[in-house]
Amino acid sequence: MATLVETLTSALSPLKIELSSDMPVIIVEKTRLIEAIQFLVQDSECCFTFLTDLCGIHYPDQNPPVLGVVYHLHNMVKNTRIRVKAFTPVSEPVIPSLTGLFSSANWMERETYDFFGIRFEGHPELKRLLNMDDMVDFPMRKEFMLEDPTRTDKQDAYFGR
Amino acid sequence: MPTMTESPPGVSGQGFFLTSLEKAVGLARKNSIWPLPFATSCCGIEFMATMASHYDLARFGSERPSFSPRQADLLMVMGTVAKKLGPVLKKVYEQMAEPRWVIAVGACASSGGIFDTYSVLQGIDKVIPVDVYVPGCPPRPEQIIDGLMKIQELVEKEPLGWRQSAQYKAILAQYGIE
Ligand code: SF4
């Protein structure tokens, strides 16, 4: 673990590394995201060749409010994992696409776009994956209302209120 | 309500029976409803029990579940319908030949049920007209059978020419169906 942190700091600095209880977390500038992940995949020390998962996250209370993408990478030989985070302001929700490095990122990025509205620059076909095509909102953003406005059986009249 | 074996009101004599065409058609249709199960989730499991030997939907003339909408009389929607599935459900309905009936089984199909959320259609009557709603989450097979018998009543009492009437066309037009 210590050597891994050293390798990362020397190769990718300046860079923020946190050691959470389960795996090291690195936070990169989105402009250096591809470079960082490419290093994590190709470096003989790291060799994180498998993209386990990729998901969005929304922090509306930060100033300015940010959207982030969290990547989980896995080294299949040593069975070690690493988490990479990149953030972007909500006003400009653009993050580079990983599809050039991992084909599996294709649908995961479409899903993340579908729910958070993060546009992945360089994605070959960024369109909605799970929600209906004519949806205009991004339902996993925190400001999205929980109850469906088309609901009709919750009218007070039905309950004598 | 007359049972299946009872004949409709009419005049009978030796070797003949006279009744109105409407009643004869109603009797025939009522006892030969071919249902199309559109089962999407937990309520569909209840329907499987309803259809199987213990509850035996076939007793009511629905011996043959139709898995093609073209030969079905009754669309049985059982379970949660996602908004993305709405247009598919509508297409299935549109492919059914007249006369056709629809039964919404369970809270989800009737009103969205517990899924008051962006991805679930808040009742199938948002996209197609519904004849009978069966409440419950899920309804017991007895309730589904009760719903089917309500449909039988509707089928029996349907006036001749209703499907050609302007009133019926107006109902379909509300849903944008030709
Ligand atoms: S009404 Fe209840 S049992 Fe039926 S599909 Fe919905 S959640 Fe499942």
Side-chain angles (χ1 to χ4, degrees), chain B residues 65-121:
Chain B
S66 182
F67 292 98
S68 149
R70 308 237 184 226
Q71 283 104 37
D73 305 305
L74 170 66
L75 177 59
M76 303 185 77
V77 185
M78 295 156 289
T80 326
V81 177
K83 280 184 183 156
K84 204 170 178 176
L85 196 60
V88 178
L89 179 63
K90 189 165 173 179
K91 184 156 264 172
V92 168
Y93 179 76
E94 282 171 341
Q95 288 186 358
M96 289 169 68
E98 293 282 15
R100 54 191 165 180
W101 290 268
V102 178
I103 175 169
V105 174
C108 283
S110 304
S111 72
I114 54 172
F115 303 102
D116 183 1
T117 176
Y118 63 92
S119 57
V120 172
L121 195 64

Side-chain angles (χ1 to χ4, degrees), chain A residues 93-95 97 99 105-114 117-129 138:
Chain A
V94 183
I95 287 219
S97 167
T99 43
N106 190 317
W107 278 27
M108 296 189 210
E109 287 180 353
R110 278 178 63 187
E111 184 190 12
T112 309
Y113 163 73
D114 193 354
I118 297 168
R119 292 199 304 279
F120 290 90
E121 228 168 15
H123 190 287
E125 197 190 16
L126 194 64
K127 55 174 195 183
R128 287 188 183 270
L129 178 65
F138 302 110

Side-chain angles (χ1 to χ4, degrees), chain A residues 153-161:
Chain A
D153 70 344
K154 278 191 174 172
Q155 286 166 7
D156 284 351
Y158 291 135
F159 299 94
R161 292 190 287 239

